[in-house]
Amino acid sequence: MSSPSKNVKSEKSDARRFFVDLSRAFGGAILFSFPLLMTMEMWRLAFYMDGLRLALFTLLTIPLLIGLSYYDGFEQTNTVKDDVRGAFIAYAVGFAASTLVLILFGVITPGMSANEIIGKISIQAVAAGLGAMLTQSLLVIDDETEKNAEKRKRSASYGGQLFLMVVGAMFLSLSVAPTEEMVLISYQMTYWHTAALAGVTLLMKYGFVYAAKFQGHHKVHSPDESFLSLFLRFTVVGYAIVLLISFYILWTFGSIDGLSFAEKLKATIVLGFPAAIGAAASRLIL
Amino acid sequence: MPKEKSDKQEQGAGRQKNVPVGEWIVAVVGLILVIGSISLTLYRALTEESTPPVISITVDSILPAENGFLVRFSVQNTGNQTAADLNIEGVLKNGEEIAETSAMTLTYAPAHSMREGGLFFTKNPNELDLQIRSTGYSVP
């Protein structure tokens, strides 16, 4: 900082570091979103999905990315401003990555209306933006960033842990949510199946929390916290979050439109299965 | 850069960090993309009436094909709603008499978009009266 030449040098290395970060984020965007980029329901959603729902989906991505940047972004952040900037960078990278891949796949061609093209890209950009932001944990990088994020993750408050559950639930459920199988599976299931699936999901979720307790991952609960407290505070609340996220995603994609309430609930519990795994494992995968 | 801020950054990060201009540029591009795509979809959602698909089909070319002829056409949907499983039927007429029919299904004809397809005939469409129309669709 004291000598001008040093300053120039550090600026140059900062710019190079940003370029490296950007390339890595690009890779992460594709790594996370390729299942969706290769799902035909996602291409088609763009022209039958409700515009308001798509706008809301994009809008909600931003606070999600900001929060994720705070806990686990692709670069070190110290201020809210850094996190906000990081969120928009991740979205831009996700948008660019989706555009490139969709053009390469011939999904976007001339003759399509601007609305269709923007719709096709922006629905993918959500997942790709998440991927760009998650890069730092997906592709392990320098120890410093890793330690920094790890520290934040560990010191995450109860609210912070719930937030990571939301991201984990979205992370795993997004890649299967748009497929027809979600609703098809729920058609195949009786209400007994559904109840059993919900039970198994809860049990599995508790298993993850229990295992994490012994590994000392959570600082929020003390080692001698009772079964009931642990179960209520993490497993039950976590599952409620998971079901809300599943329902929101199914509603966004219009998969459960026109179904009766009971059928909607069944599909939500089906999608809740991968979502719960994502939420429970959020400390492992994020 | 204010001295106070750089001190704080040095303490906070352990290493001092300048934000490269490129980083800001990419962030602003992201902001524009978010605002742009949200406002476009919102604008469409709020201003467009949900009018049914309006399908117009134009013949692009008639080519010789294996055992007959290929009629290539483009389908334009100028309505605000997408048509799924759009059935398209081509009829060759000799005066009032139907000489041959062919049909195909277009998986999707999205609103305000163009799609292409083709129909095969054994008789020469150039010598007969060719009519192509859509016969039905489902709402996706």
Side-chain angles (χ1 to χ4, degrees):
Chain A
M1 191 83 200
S2 49
S3 73
S5 65
K6 201 179 156 192
N7 203 5
V8 168
K9 206 178 153 192
S10 100
E11 243 172 56
K12 221 175 166 181
S13 82
D14 274 337
R16 203 181 55 204
R17 194 167 48 82
F18 174 60
F19 180 74
V20 173
D21 279 347
L22 213 57
S23 321
R24 198 185 288 123
F26 199 86
I30 292 177
L31 181 63
F32 178 48
S33 67
F34 84 88
L36 287 173
L37 287 165
M38 298 177 115
T39 300
M40 64 179 179
E41 282 91 343
M42 285 297 277
W43 313 331
R44 290 168 182 181
L45 269 169
F47 47 74
Y48 62 73
M49 185 175 176
D50 187 63
L52 291 172
R53 295 184 197 182
L54 178 57
L56 185 67
F57 195 49
T58 309
L59 194 67
L60 288 177
T61 312
I62 298 307
L64 197 74
L65 287 176
I66 293 174
L68 200 56
S69 165
Y70 174 72
Y71 291 112
D72 200 19
F74 61 81
E75 57 172 15
Q76 269 195 71
T77 55
N78 302 308
T79 61
V80 178
K81 200 169 80 179
D82 284 346
D83 289 324
V84 172
R85 191 180 59 234
F88 284 110
I89 292 175
Y91 188 83
V93 170
F95 202 94
S98 310
T99 309
L100 176 75
V101 175
L102 290 180
I103 290 174
L104 286 177
F105 287 171
V107 174
I108 295 175
T109 54
M112 289 180 175
S113 66
N115 205 36
E116 188 185 349
I117 293 173
I118 298 289
K120 278 192 160 111
I121 297 169
S122 58
I123 194 167
Q124 299 276 6
V126 172
L130 264 178
M133 192 55 97
L134 287 171
T135 316
Q136 104 90 13
S137 34
L138 290 174
L139 316 170
V140 179
I141 39 162
D142 62 293
D143 299 338
E144 201 181 333
T145 324
E146 189 65 12
K147 228 172 9 194
N148 190 299
E150 198 57 35
K151 217 164 64 193
R152 268 192 193 146
K153 267 199 264 180
R154 290 202 176 150
S155 64
S157 58
Y158 181 59
Q161 296 209 23
L162 295 186
F163 174 79
L164 287 181
M165 283 190 193
V166 169
V167 180
M170 282 197 71
F171 183 92
L172 274 203
S173 64
L174 255 185
S175 47
V176 286
T179 61
E180 268 180 47
E181 280 84 345
M182 286 309 107
V183 181
L184 188 71
I185 290 172
S186 75
Y187 289 159
Q188 289 173 170
M189 292 166 66
T190 63
Y191 287 108
W192 288 111
H193 284 107
T194 316
L197 181 66
V200 167
T201 310
L202 262 179
L203 212 67
M204 210 173 53
K205 229 183 152 303
Y206 179 73
F208 270 97
V209 174
Y210 193 73
K213 180 185 170 182
F214 275 99
Q215 279 177 9
H217 268 308
H218 297 243
K219 263 209 170 145
V220 200
H221 53 78
S222 53
D224 47 61
E225 189 169 351
S226 73
F227 161 80
L228 192 68
S229 164
L230 206 60
F231 185 75
L232 284 180
R233 277 183 359 116
F234 289 95
T235 313
V236 172
V237 173
Y239 194 50
I241 291 175
V242 160
L243 289 181
L244 284 174
I245 296 277
S246 304
F247 183 82
Y248 172 70
I249 291 178
L250 287 171
W251 175 78
T252 299
F253 291 163
S255 316
I256 50 173
D257 287 2
L259 296 183
S260 72
F261 178 75
E263 290 299 320
K264 279 181 179 154
L265 185 65
K266 263 166 78 180
T268 305
I269 288 172
V270 170
L271 184 61
F273 180 66
I277 299 174
S282 61
R283 317 217 109 232
L284 305 174
I285 55 175
L286 300 185
Chain B
M1 190 195 288
K3 198 174 176 297
E4 216 179 298
K5 202 180 163 194
S6 73
D7 279 347
K8 207 173 123 195
Q9 274 187 342
E10 256 163 12
Q11 277 173 7
R15 94 179 129 168
Q16 170 258 331
K17 185 189 159 192
N18 293 314
V19 177
V21 188
E23 205 164 317
W24 281 110
I25 294 173
V26 178
V28 169
V29 169
L31 179 67
I32 293 169
L33 288 174
V34 170
I35 294 175
S37 45
I38 288 180
S39 38
L40 179 71
T41 40
L42 273 185
Y43 173 77
R44 292 287 183 136
L46 296 175
T47 56
E48 265 181 9
E49 285 173 68
S50 184
T51 54
V54 179
I55 305 291
S56 53
I57 301 171
T58 45
V59 175
D60 294 330
S61 58
I62 298 172
L63 304 165
E66 189 97 0
N67 307 321
F69 298 87
L70 165 65
V71 176
R72 292 172 61 222
F73 56 85
S74 35
V75 180
Q76 186 87 39
N77 180 2
T78 47
N80 291 337
Q81 231 181 41
T82 293
D85 306 316
L86 184 74
N87 285 318
I88 291 170
E89 192 186 58
V91 181
L92 290 181
K93 275 185 175 175
N94 193 357
E96 277 305 293
E97 183 199 340
I98 292 172
E100 190 178 355
T101 59
S102 281
M104 60 85 70
T105 305
L106 197 65
T107 324
Y108 282 102
H112 302 289
S113 287
M114 202 256 289
R115 290 289 186 271
E116 288 174 5
L119 285 171
F120 294 106
F121 292 96
T122 51
K123 298 192 172 71
N124 189 348
N126 293 309
E127 293 163 4
L128 296 154
D129 182 19
L130 171 66
Q131 287 173 0
I132 301 182
R133 65 178 196 105
S134 52
T135 54
Y137 70 96
S138 70
V139 176

